[in-house]
Each structure stands twice: as structure tokens, then as C-alpha cells.
Amino acid sequence: MLIPHPLLGLRDAQEFTYLGDAALLNRPDGMAEGAAEAFFDYAYLRDNPAGPHRELWFHEQGDRSWLVVTRDTVTHEILGAELARDVALAAKGGAQ
């Protein structure tokens, strides 16, 4: 598989380490009411979708950046990639 790194162009997937569901970027507030239940869900409950799915990949043998890669879990086709930092900032409504 080739991953379209937003800064470096196409890179072989063997340069990366897969972490899991990109929902891990949405860490719950540990001080909020119901934090224990929210952290249980965050740590242990995962979807297993068939089709497009957003995943976290670490460019271990490259620039050491974290990417959110959109991949079709049925065909393994890579549909796109973004820097995880940009995805997290956009989710919080912040600017770079």
C-alpha cells in the first residue's frame, strides 16, 4: 500500500506503524462528570466498519509525523491522508 503523505508525497506503508481508529484523537475530559464511563468507552470500545474508515498511522521510518489515513477496510484502498495535528485542530475549531 502507498500512503499519500501530505508533506512527503507517496510513501510505502512499511514506513509506518498502525495505531488504530482515529477516534483516539477525541480523548474525553478526565475532569468531566461521567469521566470513568467515557474513558472506558474510549479505551475499550471500537467500531469494526466494512468500508471507509479513518485510522492513525505513525511515520516511524520517516519524518515521525502522525497521520489520519482514510482507508477502505474491504479493498485496502487508501482514500486520503491528513496530518493528525491538523485534524485535531479542526475538530476543536482552532487555527494552525
Side-chain angles (χ1 to χ4, degrees):
M1 288 189 306
L2 295 176
I3 295 177
H5 193 294
L7 302 175
L8 304 175
L10 288 178
R11 310 302 299 177
D12 192 296
Q14 292 181 0
E15 295 180 11
F16 294 82
T17 300
Y18 170 81
L19 176 64
D21 190 336
L24 291 172
L25 292 173
N26 304 324
R27 183 180 172 135
D29 179 359
M31 302 304 289
E33 188 170 327
E37 183 177 327
F39 266 99
F40 178 86
D41 292 351
Y42 172 79
Y44 298 109
L45 301 181
R46 298 280 182 269
D47 291 332
N48 189 15
H53 183 61
R54 294 175 58 148
E55 307 166 331
L56 283 172
W57 290 69
F58 179 60
H59 196 194
E60 184 173 16
Q61 297 178 24
D63 68 347
R64 306 189 67 76
S65 60
W66 283 98
L67 301 182
V68 174
V69 175
T70 304
R71 180 177 68 89
D72 189 311
T73 60
V74 175
T75 64
H76 296 291
E77 177 185 6
I78 302 291
L79 305 172
E82 306 167 79
L83 292 172
R85 178 183 182 276
D86 294 346
V87 172
L89 286 173
K92 293 179 182 176
Q96 293 182 4

